[in-house]
Amino acid sequence: MSDATPMSFYDEVGGHDTFVRLVDAFYAGVADDAVLRPMYPEEDLGPAKHRLTTFLEQYWGGPTTYGEERGHPRLRMRHAPFHVNPDARDRWLAHMRVAVDALELPPLHEATLWDYLQRAAQAMVNTFEPSGIGPAAGARAAASLPVTAVPPTSTEPTR
């Protein structure tokens, strides 16, 4: 009798070691990126590596360490204090593309992972202002367009 339980994506791609390789390769690029590096306040990228590794492992069916340590991912909320514009997204994706390619996954697994990463990166975009990334939510709010519409001034004569 065989076990009919399907394997998780996490297990199919090689488990913990695969995700560590992915994240290590990704942060090797981020470490020297003048736009992205300021997003990581720690001098050492070790804590960021741990957070991303455990998040991805949990998302793809591996251990639930991320949730146990940090609760619900709330990715948009956690990235809200940072100036994530299309340039930052594209840089993030460029470093992640190098990391995914380094894994040499089978085509279906590579496409599945890459599709998710592209969608996640797009979802983190929170501004279209051209300046860099960093804890600038307060400054951004002052310069942003109002959230509520201002009624147009009527040009018709009043009766």
Side-chain angles (χ1 to χ4, degrees), residues 39-72:
M39 182 181 233
Y40 304 95
E42 298 96 355
E43 189 172 316
D44 173 18
L45 287 170
K49 287 181 182 183
H50 174 75
R51 290 188 299 266
L52 183 56
T53 301
T54 57
F55 169 76
L56 291 171
E57 287 178 328
Q58 180 171 310
Y59 181 85
W60 292 106
T64 58
T65 307
Y66 184 91
E68 293 163 10
E69 291 178 355
R70 296 181 55 85
H72 189 281

Side-chain angles (χ1 to χ4, degrees), residues 5-152:
T5 304
M7 288 180 68
S8 66
F9 183 87
Y10 171 84
D11 290 322
E12 288 179 11
V13 298
H16 178 74
D17 291 342
T18 298
F19 286 95
V20 167
R21 286 177 35 231
L22 175 71
V23 171
D24 284 348
F26 169 72
Y27 280 109
V30 169
D32 296 324
D33 189 303
V35 172
L36 295 182
R37 184 61 179 93
M39 182 181 233
Y40 304 95
E42 298 96 355
E43 189 172 316
D44 173 18
L45 287 170
K49 287 181 182 183
H50 174 75
R51 290 188 299 266
L52 183 56
T53 301
T54 57
F55 169 76
L56 291 171
E57 287 178 328
Q58 180 171 310
Y59 181 85
W60 292 106
T64 58
T65 307
Y66 184 91
E68 293 163 10
E69 291 178 355
R70 296 181 55 85
H72 189 281
R74 296 184 179 115
L75 294 180
R76 292 268 309 162
M77 180 193 77
R78 291 185 196 275
H79 289 81
F82 300 97
H83 188 107
V84 183
N85 64 11
D87 178 48
R89 176 205 56 213
D90 293 347
R91 287 169 174 268
W92 191 93
L93 283 168
H95 296 303
M96 194 55 83
R97 181 74 255 175
V98 169
V100 169
D101 289 347
L103 296 176
E104 298 180 340
L105 296 173
L108 181 58
H109 291 106
E110 181 276 327
T112 301
L113 178 60
W114 185 242
D115 177 67
Y116 167 75
L117 293 169
Q118 287 181 299
R119 288 182 291 113
Q122 180 60 40
M124 296 307 107
V125 172
N126 58 24
T127 186
F128 289 92
E129 292 179 24
S131 61
I133 199 164
R140 202 169 52 246
S144 295
L145 295 174
V147 175
T148 57
V150 177

